[in-house]
Amino acid sequence: MTTAVEFSSVSRHFGAPDRLVKAVDQVDLVIEEGSFFAMLGPSGSGKTTCLRLISGFELPSAGEIRIFGENCSDVPPNRRNVNTVFQDYALFPHMTVRDNVAYGLMVKGIDRRTRRSRADDMLALVKLEGFGDRKPAQLSGGQRQRVALARALVNEPRVLLLDEPLGALDLKLREAMQDELKSLQKRLGITFVFVTHDQGEALSMADRVAVFNQGKVAQVGSPSDIYERPATRFVADFVGSSNVLPPDLTRAFGGPAEWASLRPEALRLVASAGARVTGRVTALRYLGAGTRVALESYGQELAVLAPAGSALPETGAEVGLDWDAKSLHMMAGA
Amino acid sequence: MGSAASPLQTGLAERLTALFWRRPRVLLALLLAPPLLWLGLVYVGSLAALLWQSFYSIDEFSGVVKQEFTLKTFGELLLPQNYDIILRTVSMAAAVTLASVILAFPVAFFAARFANGRWKAVFYLGIMLPLWSSYLVKVYAWKLILAKEGIITWAANGIGAGSVLDAVLTTPVIGGNSLSTSYLGTFLVFVYVWLPYMILPMQASLERVPTSMLEASADLGAGGLRTLWSVTLPLALPGVIAGSIFTFSLTLGDYIIPQIIGNSASFIGMAVYQLQGTAGNIPLAAAFAVIPILIMLVYLAIARRLGAFDAL
């Protein structure tokens, strides 16, 4: 497999030398061609800066970025064969939807007729046939998002960058667009790199996920790697809000004296008599598909996800916990 | 007013607040009435009176205004001596506006995109500072600067460019005996005096162009010039138009600068000033005054047709 994008100990620092902000700090990253790659992290973790390093809007303070093997640290954005879908879409308000989509082709000097037909093809691809003559202001948020997508894809980039592409959409639309983006990527076979702070989005859409924390990559892996085998406390906590067990508690749960993670849905509530671990219920939170039971055990707060329809304990009740041994995951990198 | 408001006063204030709360339109009407009265009666009213006057004519023998509706006065505008004034003024206004756009853009662009904190303050101060001193003082100062014995001639001679200056002054039409007695001088002073009115709206509109839009253009392969032409300028156009309305109409109406600096050729403003004063020809003065209004209306219509306000 070809490597689409490669970071070799890339750093991006901002500010004066005495108050240096390390937005991206010594990042090594390999993004395979044709993959759907997610950069996941809280705000300020460096994921967006990494995306901007690929698009060329930021230049690395140190290290090297290669796109399809070519070192492009000095290549300006307009000379890179990557295109971006911006968070605010950045559609040109004074142009029609068709002219927006055809902008990249116009810049390349492609004739008007070809431009028009390719823009219309692209609009059809994102299910916006017949919208070419409208202005962006006349479209809904979801439609603008599609225009932004079409405008980037019409240039046939080898890598498509998406900066929080679904952040501004409401929940239903977001879920629909997640499926669409995924199938679009499969169909086109282009490498998609997208930035998100939504772990559910990253897990459901991406082939590979890089979790960012404080300018560094905390873990890279498949969604199931990230979710089931988090490498660090941060990853366990950020991706799916796991129960992070300190070493002594891990021992009480039957493991070695190491940091471990135990997913709330892997825990089952049982009778306290004869249970391996017991705890006192402190709060219940109804989530629809289940109920999140917060309890205190060994002075540590734990969360249990009780499936819908199961019997729920009262607040203050003493309950027992059960789990499969394999769901207790040790975190060497904690 | 006093420390202890009487119960009645409190009651009235509270009742008024409640009234405004229930009927927000009453409050709006109260707030808008004074400015609307001012604009409606004093401003639009006098404009209408002006337009009315321009349909009267003057009796050539007695010099008395004949209060009958006629287009004769407008016809007089087409006489060569009057038509010349209009053409001269409009050309000057167009030249001043064009030069202002070209000079203002880099300044406005810098202020909108790069300046922040202290540099922004320096920018505003630099632009506004000339507006704090009297317009007349500035114009007379320029007369001295541009005079034959002035600093420009002195500096040009000092660096051995005196012949260049002379060559420029021998240019037909725009040249003259010295800068202060040529169209070129009038033009320079107009540009100086009106430039802030171009920079400020331009800067405001450039500031509203999101950075992501410029990045999107670069991302789609456009170089700096292409982005400037296809994205930045169209989006800044409302500001350019707003600024050009200022520079254009201010030049069209000004009667002081061409009187002090230049070759004493008449401009619309001067014509109006002389016609309503010494000549007592109010109808022709009014007809002259209608010209800038018409030109601005046509200009705005064209700008709108070209899509200058689409990005608003």
Side-chain angles (χ1 to χ4, degrees), chain B:
Chain B
M1 289 297 148
S3 54
S6 79
L8 185 69
Q9 274 176 321
T10 318
L12 184 65
E14 271 174 5
R15 265 187 313 207
L16 265 180
T17 312
L19 175 73
F20 292 152
W21 167 252
R22 277 198 314 273
R23 302 183 187 281
R25 278 165 193 282
V26 174
L27 178 63
L28 196 66
L30 276 177
L31 286 173
L32 280 179
L36 279 183
L37 277 176
W38 175 258
L39 281 173
L41 285 179
V42 180
Y43 182 72
V44 179
S46 43
L47 259 184
L50 176 82
L51 195 66
W52 193 257
Q53 290 280 329
S54 64
F55 288 112
Y56 291 160
S57 65
I58 200 159
D59 189 290
E60 275 155 39
F61 296 108
S62 59
V64 175
V65 175
K66 280 195 290 189
Q67 300 198 345
E68 303 165 6
F69 185 87
T70 172
L71 288 173
K72 178 171 158 274
T73 312
F74 277 106
E76 281 174 26
L77 288 178
L78 296 175
L79 295 175
Q81 70 266 33
N82 292 335
Y83 189 68
D84 265 5
I85 294 175
I86 295 169
L87 207 61
R88 182 180 303 126
T89 312
V90 173
S91 314
M92 180 61 82
V96 168
T97 300
L98 197 66
S100 298
V101 170
I102 292 166
L103 286 177
F105 189 82
V107 182
F109 192 79
F110 165 78
R113 295 242 80 91
F114 299 105
N116 44 32
R118 191 194 313 210
W119 280 109
K120 199 133 215 159
V122 169
F123 162 78
Y124 277 115
L125 209 63
I127 302 301
M128 306 292 268
L129 203 59
L131 299 178
W132 295 356
S133 63
S134 159
Y135 163 84
L136 275 177
V137 170
K138 285 184 289 183
V139 175
Y140 276 109
W142 271 98
K143 190 173 180 67
L144 295 178
I145 292 171
L146 298 174
K148 206 162 187 65
E149 306 78 22
I151 188 165
I152 291 192
T153 317
W154 173 80
N157 288 331
I159 60 169
S163 55
V164 177
L165 184 62
D166 288 337
V168 170
L169 284 174
T170 55
T171 315
V173 187
I174 64 163
N177 192 27
S178 72
L179 276 175
S180 68
T181 56
S182 65
Y183 282 136
L184 197 58
T186 323
F187 166 80
L188 288 175
V189 178
F190 268 133
V191 170
Y192 167 80
V193 172
W194 305 142
L195 192 60
Y197 299 94
M198 179 63 86
I199 293 177
L200 290 174
M202 225 182 208
Q203 183 252 353
S205 73
L206 280 170
E207 209 154 59
R208 286 200 334 209
V209 178
T211 315
S212 67
M213 238 162 248
L214 307 184
E215 288 183 347
S217 178
D219 187 77
L220 295 166
L225 276 178
R226 162 61 74 180
T227 300
L228 181 72
W229 184 252
S230 296
V231 179
T232 313
L233 273 181
L235 291 178
L237 207 55
V240 178
I241 298 291
S244 66
I245 290 170
F246 285 123
T247 56
F248 203 78
S249 62
L250 287 169
T251 311
L252 282 180
D254 193 84
Y255 67 101
I256 294 177
I257 291 172
Q259 207 162 251
I260 298 173
I261 293 162
N263 56 10
S264 329
S266 196
F267 281 70
I268 289 181
M270 286 162 77
V272 172
Y273 180 71
Q274 283 152 10
L275 285 168
Q276 64 87 32
T278 45
N281 191 345
I282 297 282
L284 188 56
F288 261 117
V290 168
I291 299 285
I293 299 173
L294 287 181
I295 290 173
M296 289 320 294
L297 286 177
V298 171
Y299 179 69
L300 286 180
I302 293 172
R304 200 193 141 137
R305 179 62 69 81
L306 291 177
F309 306 115
D310 287 4
L312 278 184

Side-chain angles (χ1 to χ4, degrees), chain A:
Chain A
M1 233 191 202
T2 324
T3 301
V5 181
E6 187 178 0
F7 280 52
S8 317
S9 52
V10 168
S11 297
R12 177 67 176 108
H13 302 159
F14 293 104
D18 52 329
R19 279 173 304 171
L20 210 59
V21 179
K22 294 177 174 174
V24 173
D25 192 16
Q26 298 277 328
V27 165
D28 291 296
L29 210 57
V30 172
I31 301 174
E32 298 293 346
E33 183 176 16
S35 62
F36 201 128
F37 193 94
M39 295 181 171
L40 174 68
S43 53
S45 59
K47 58 191 193 306
T48 298
T49 309
C50 272
L51 196 79
R52 292 171 63 81
L53 283 163
I54 303 175
S55 58
F57 296 120
E58 300 287 350
L59 294 176
S61 312
E64 202 175 275
I65 297 166
R66 279 183 294 277
I67 300 178
F68 288 100
E70 187 196 350
N71 178 10
C72 61
S73 301
D74 297 327
V75 182
N78 53 329
R79 300 260 171 260
R80 296 188 183 197
N81 196 6
V82 300
N83 285 109
T84 308
V85 174
F86 288 82
Q87 190 173 9
D88 61 354
Y89 314 144
L91 300 179
F92 306 127
H94 57 295
M95 295 182 195
T96 62
V97 165
R98 182 181 294 111
D99 288 345
N100 262 285
V101 175
Y103 188 83
L105 305 176
M106 179 193 73
V107 168
K108 285 198 196 102
I110 289 166
D111 69 277
R112 183 177 290 269
R113 187 192 294 263
T114 316
R115 235 151 65 193
R116 192 185 161 97
S117 78
R118 278 178 61 189
D120 283 345
D121 288 350
M122 217 24 96
L123 283 171
L125 183 74
V126 297
K127 297 179 186 149
L128 281 177
E129 296 105 325
F131 283 81
D133 293 317
R134 299 206 193 173
K135 288 284 177 72
Q138 295 167 289
L139 302 183
S140 70
Q143 290 169 333
R144 278 181 224 177
Q145 218 263 325
R146 288 154 192 269
V147 176
L149 199 58
R151 185 177 68 174
L153 288 174
V154 79
N155 304 293
E156 298 172 347
R158 295 185 77 181
V159 180
L160 183 74
L161 308 172
L162 304 107
D163 186 6
E164 303 256 2
L166 308 175
L169 305 180
D170 60 55
L171 184 64
K172 266 271 168 288
L173 202 52
R174 195 154 68 216
E175 285 173 349
M177 277 308 286
Q178 284 177 4
D179 293 342
E180 248 176 83
L181 272 180
K182 184 74 193 159
S183 71
L184 197 63
Q185 191 265 341
K186 278 226 169 71
R187 208 144 28 112
L188 299 172
I190 298 173
T191 312
F192 276 34
V193 180
F194 86 111
V195 156
T196 181
H197 63 264
D198 181 336
Q199 42 100 10
E201 203 168 283
L203 295 181
S204 67
M205 290 167 78
D207 307 327
R208 285 183 80 72
V209 179
V211 183
F212 280 76
N213 184 32
Q214 296 180 338
K216 288 180 185 292
V217 175
Q219 188 176 358
V220 187
S222 69
S224 57
D225 279 344
I226 301 283
Y227 191 80
E228 288 159 24
R229 290 173 290 281
T232 69
R233 271 186 280 167
F234 172 81
V235 175
D237 191 45
F238 185 75
V239 183
S241 64
S242 195
N243 292 304
V244 174
L245 309 181
D248 51 336
L249 198 60
T250 307
R251 220 161 28 198
F253 274 76
E258 274 175 33
W259 285 89
S261 106
L262 191 54
R263 295 289 172 190
E265 63 272 23
L267 283 169
R268 291 184 298 274
L269 293 174
V270 294
S272 62
R276 288 189 277 170
V277 174
T278 61
R280 184 173 300 279
V281 177
T282 55
L284 297 171
R285 190 142 57 89
Y286 180 65
L287 300 173
T291 302
R292 189 183 168 87
V293 182
L295 44 87
E296 202 185 287
S297 179
Y298 296 96
Q300 180 88 10
E301 178 142 329
L302 293 175
V304 178
L305 187 71
S310 59
L312 293 173
E314 307 243 325
T315 308
E318 187 83 5
V319 292
L321 293 174
D322 193 25
W323 63 94
D324 294 335
K326 66 176 167 43
S327 54
L328 187 68
H329 168 69
M330 303 308 139
M331 294 183 292

